[in-house]
Amino acid sequence: MDHFADRLRAAPQSRLQRSAAAEALALARELSRRAQLMEEPGSEPREMPDAGMFAAADQILVAAHDLAVVVRSEEQVAEAVRLVEEARQRAGV
């Protein structure tokens, strides 16, 4: 996660605009959604807002931290790692 965030921070604005920031935001939203569903089952998850392309790295770190606090199994950890890797590859960073 930290590696992906660092790569986003180092990416040129043009790469962020093409797809990297959108991929990071989508990942942050998904990780946040999963954390909320585990923490408050039965509640409607709130969507993480778009704070802009330069905040995308921080948003994935916050969402990943929130998920790490509530994760219950190794399978959930493995699934989160898979999601991060797939988003990183799509982002091209």
Side-chain angles (χ1 to χ4, degrees):
M1 183 60 63
D2 289 333
H3 180 70
F4 184 23
D6 289 343
R7 299 286 302 211
L8 285 168
R9 288 187 184 106
Q13 184 174 349
S14 60
R15 181 170 304 253
L16 292 173
Q17 288 173 323
R18 278 195 306 269
S19 66
E23 284 295 336
L25 178 59
L27 173 64
R29 285 177 170 168
E30 179 58 21
L31 296 176
S32 176
R33 184 187 74 77
R34 288 172 184 238
Q36 290 177 61
L37 289 172
M38 286 182 214
E39 192 170 40
E40 301 171 3
S43 295
E44 183 67 28
R46 297 162 309 279
E47 183 174 74
M48 181 176 279
D50 184 346
M53 72 177 130
F54 298 113
D58 293 327
Q59 286 184 289
I60 60 170
L61 289 176
V62 167
H65 178 267
D66 289 350
L67 183 60
V69 170
V70 297
V71 74
R72 294 184 179 102
S73 70
E74 288 185 31
E75 292 80 22
Q76 291 170 330
V77 171
E79 176 66 12
V81 169
R82 184 187 64 75
L83 290 172
V84 170
E85 182 57 26
E86 289 173 357
R88 187 196 62 77
Q89 288 176 359
R90 286 189 305 269
V93 294

